């Protein structure tokens, strides 16, 4: 899609990053052709989406908890004791 000019990399970022707006536009276009895929394939993609959303939420909570613990350690001058 990038070679066809459908999607463009965001310049100035490390790695291969794309604009979320372009991705959403591409997804909207794909929804018009939704009847071209089977219901089983569609459900599989929906299930994968739910799985990755849950994984994202778990990671976000873990990072938030770790950040909270780090702030506690730093504010205690390194004398963190789990209570």
């Amino acid at each position: 899609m990038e070679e066809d000019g459908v999607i463009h990399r965001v310049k100035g970022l490390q790695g291969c990053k794309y604009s979320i707006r372009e991705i959403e536009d591409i997804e909207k276009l794909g929804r018009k052709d939704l009847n071209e895929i089977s219901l089983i394939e569609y459900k599989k993609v929906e299930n994968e989406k739910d799985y990755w959303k849950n994984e994202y939420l778990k990671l976000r909570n873990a990072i938030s908890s770790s950040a909270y613990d780090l702030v506690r350690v730093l504010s205690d001058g390194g004398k963190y004791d789990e209570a």
Side-chain angles (χ1 to χ4, degrees):
M1 284 202 257
E2 190 173 345
E3 289 178 5
D4 295 336
V6 175
I7 193 165
H8 306 87
R9 288 185 192 202
V10 176
K11 295 179 182 175
L13 297 178
Q14 197 173 37
C16 183
K17 306 285 193 281
Y18 298 100
S19 162
I20 191 69
R21 198 164 286 177
E22 281 190 331
I23 292 170
E24 288 172 343
D25 289 344
I26 292 167
E27 287 178 343
K28 286 176 191 172
L29 290 174
R31 292 198 187 278
K32 291 177 186 173
D33 300 328
L34 204 54
N35 55 356
E36 292 182 16
I37 64 170
S38 73
L39 183 58
I40 294 170
E41 290 171 326
Y42 178 77
K43 280 303 229 178
K44 181 180 175 186
V45 170
E46 285 293 314
N47 289 338
E48 286 179 21
K49 180 189 77 161
D50 291 340
Y51 170 81
W52 288 114
K53 182 178 180 181
N54 287 332
E55 288 298 303
Y56 159 76
L57 292 172
K58 283 190 242 179
L59 287 171
R60 188 179 73 176
N61 289 337
I63 290 169
S64 177
S65 177
S66 296
Y68 175 77
D69 290 343
L70 179 61
V71 168
R72 286 181 51 195
V73 167
L74 294 175
S75 67
D76 290 345
K79 301 175 187 173
Y80 177 69
D81 183 26
E82 253 184 84

